[in-house]
Amino acid sequence: MIWTAVQGAFTLPNFVVGFALGYAVLLLLRPLVGDAGYDARLWHQVSLVGFFVKELVKSSVRVAWEVITPGYGMRAGILAVPLDLKSDLGITLLANLISLTPGTLSLDISDDRDHLFIHAMYIDKSPEEDVQHIKNTFERRIMLALGKPGEVSSVADRAQPQSV
């Protein structure tokens, strides 16, 4: 943002150049200030956006197919997703990404902020498996994208299914 302000042109190409220059400065200063985890978070943020776009297209096609074909092929339900996210930003991002995805809608969050209630048009397998899918995809990616330095690897390890 400073680069675009100094240049006096708030255009997308100018912003991209400023972003690249800022990133290069951060890379050059890494030996002096240490590793801030910026690289990992940036990759995870880009990955979250890409994953969301893929899910958006998939679910849009599925809902459109449901609308244009005769019959009733959905099995709707309400899911209670236990939350590992604790920050307001993380919970809000998860709820909004779910609501923006066609076929799902965030309904409410529990008073203790431990569960997010979601209405889903399609309960494909079992409610438990669909909840686990949300946790292993959306929530895990959000945790990685918003993670603090040093937490990225522990979040990835914690998100992996555990054998009993």
Side-chain angles (χ1 to χ4, degrees):
M1 295 304 291
I2 293 171
W3 175 261
T4 57
V6 168
Q7 293 296 314
F10 292 93
T11 62
L12 182 61
N14 204 20
F15 178 77
V16 170
V17 169
F19 184 82
L21 287 173
Y23 192 75
V25 167
L26 287 173
L27 286 176
L28 291 173
L29 291 178
R30 181 175 288 163
L32 298 174
V33 296
D35 186 16
Y38 184 73
D39 297 341
R41 282 195 314 267
L42 178 64
W43 167 248
H44 290 300
Q45 290 164 357
V46 169
S47 174
L48 174 63
V49 170
F51 173 76
F52 174 68
V53 169
K54 181 188 83 156
E55 289 296 310
L56 184 66
V57 170
K58 259 180 30 180
S59 60
S60 296
V61 168
R62 188 172 189 187
V63 170
W65 184 255
E66 183 72 36
V67 170
I68 63 173
T69 57
Y72 188 76
M74 63 182 171
R75 190 177 122 208
I78 295 178
L79 304 172
V81 179
L83 295 173
D84 288 327
L85 291 166
K86 299 302 175 196
S87 71
D88 289 339
L89 176 62
I91 293 170
T92 302
L93 187 57
L94 177 63
N96 284 324
L97 290 179
I98 287 172
S99 290
L100 287 171
T101 307
T104 55
L105 177 67
S106 298
L107 299 174
D108 198 9
I109 188 164
S110 62
D111 291 336
D112 59 2
R113 298 168 47 109
D114 279 345
H115 288 83
L116 177 65
F117 298 100
I118 299 168
H119 178 273
M121 277 178 65
Y122 300 99
I123 308 281
D124 290 324
K125 301 168 186 166
S126 69
E128 294 80 19
E129 287 176 327
D130 285 350
V131 164
Q132 204 54 39
H133 173 73
I134 291 169
K135 291 189 70 55
N136 288 336
T137 56
F138 280 105
E139 187 181 39
R140 178 179 166 270
R141 290 173 192 270
I142 291 169
M143 290 176 78
L144 290 169
L146 299 179
K148 294 181 176 62
E151 289 182 4
V152 172
S153 61
S154 65
V155 170
D157 295 339
R158 191 170 61 233
Q160 297 301 316
Q162 302 293 319
S163 59
V164 179

